[in-house]
Amino acid sequence: MLDAWSELHGGIDPRGSFWVERWVLLSNACARPLVRLGITPNVITVCGAAVTAIAFAVTFAGRGWFAVAAVVILLAAVLDGVDGAIAAQTGAATQWGRVLDTMADRWSDIFLAGIVVMAGAPPWSGVVIAVLTLFLEGTRATAQAAGMKGPGTVTVWERPSRVILAFIAMVVATVVWQVGLADGVAHTLAATIAGIGATLATIGLLQLFVAVFRQTRGLRA
């Protein structure tokens, strides 16, 4: 299963990262019963994007629901890995599935940035995170269309990092609410989390730019 995942993700070996390897193994374990039920990867892809949107919607119910939103974020993250696991186990990967998965990921990225804002971060910081994320992924997609093999490099700002940031924002906001700290403290903590996200996104973009430059500068148009 690890080799099949690697083939679907541009040759990246999940064994090179303890967390990635464990995530792939968990995704495969969750995928097995779904494979037996005949559920397709595309169905899980759409469900994952929908669940992320639900997590964002839940935050509008108020701070008392932030813990629920955090749980829903984790569910969406699991679904995000399960669709690829089903495709690897069944050999059902298609080009349309790749396109759909990319669309769902970008949809989810925007909602994850919105969740950080709902935790108390300034709206402009969510916009910055979303723009940098879309710029990073747009650059990667353009480079792949130009002939770059695989993702170019694994940056510090990949999908797991974005999910973790939104999850932490919800957990911290929940704790702050439960403890009864002042709103100013909540906003400061949320802004700090958003700042970390924006910093990681910037570093990730620079990492990808260097990798893209090295791999495409010798390719002819």
Side-chain angles (χ1 to χ4, degrees):
M1 287 299 104
L2 293 175
D3 291 334
W5 185 93
S6 177
E7 184 177 347
L8 290 174
H9 292 80
I12 299 174
D13 188 353
R15 301 176 187 85
S17 168
F18 173 85
W19 295 111
V20 173
E21 181 180 4
R22 295 302 180 275
W23 181 254
V24 173
L25 293 174
L26 174 62
S27 298
N28 275 281
C30 294
R32 293 188 187 100
L34 299 177
V35 169
R36 288 194 289 269
L37 292 173
I39 298 177
T40 66
N42 291 348
V43 170
I44 300 300
T45 298
V46 173
C47 287
V51 171
T52 306
I54 291 172
F56 177 66
V58 167
T59 63
F60 284 90
R63 295 178 181 177
W65 288 83
F66 282 1
V68 176
V71 173
V72 178
I73 289 169
L74 290 182
L75 175 59
V78 171
L79 292 173
D80 186 43
V82 168
D83 58 355
I86 293 177
Q89 290 180 25
T90 62
T94 64
Q95 292 301 330
W96 163 241
R98 291 176 183 273
V99 174
L100 183 64
D101 186 60
T102 299
M103 293 170 62
D105 284 348
R106 300 297 77 77
W107 164 281
S108 298
D109 286 338
I110 293 173
F111 281 117
L112 290 172
I115 288 171
V116 176
V117 173
M118 292 303 295
W124 63 263
S125 66
V127 173
V128 169
I129 292 173
V131 169
L132 288 172
T133 300
L134 295 178
F135 190 24
L136 184 154
E137 294 296 348
T139 300
R140 175 174 282 153
T142 302
Q144 290 172 332
M148 184 182 74
K149 301 298 182 182
T153 186
V154 178
T155 73
V156 297
W157 191 242
E158 302 297 341
R159 287 281 298 163
S161 299
R162 303 161 200 171
V163 170
I164 291 171
L165 187 83
F167 176 76
I168 290 176
M170 284 290 96
V171 170
V172 170
T174 298
V175 172
V176 168
W177 175 70
Q178 290 287 348
V179 174
L181 296 179
D183 287 345
V185 175
H187 292 313
T188 299
L189 290 173
T192 301
I193 292 171
I196 292 172
T199 300
L200 291 176
T202 301
I203 294 173
L205 184 59
L206 292 174
Q207 288 178 309
L208 181 65
F209 179 80
V210 171
V212 168
F213 176 74
R214 289 175 176 173
Q215 295 184 42
T216 62
R217 60 179 174 177
L219 298 178
R220 298 292 182 181

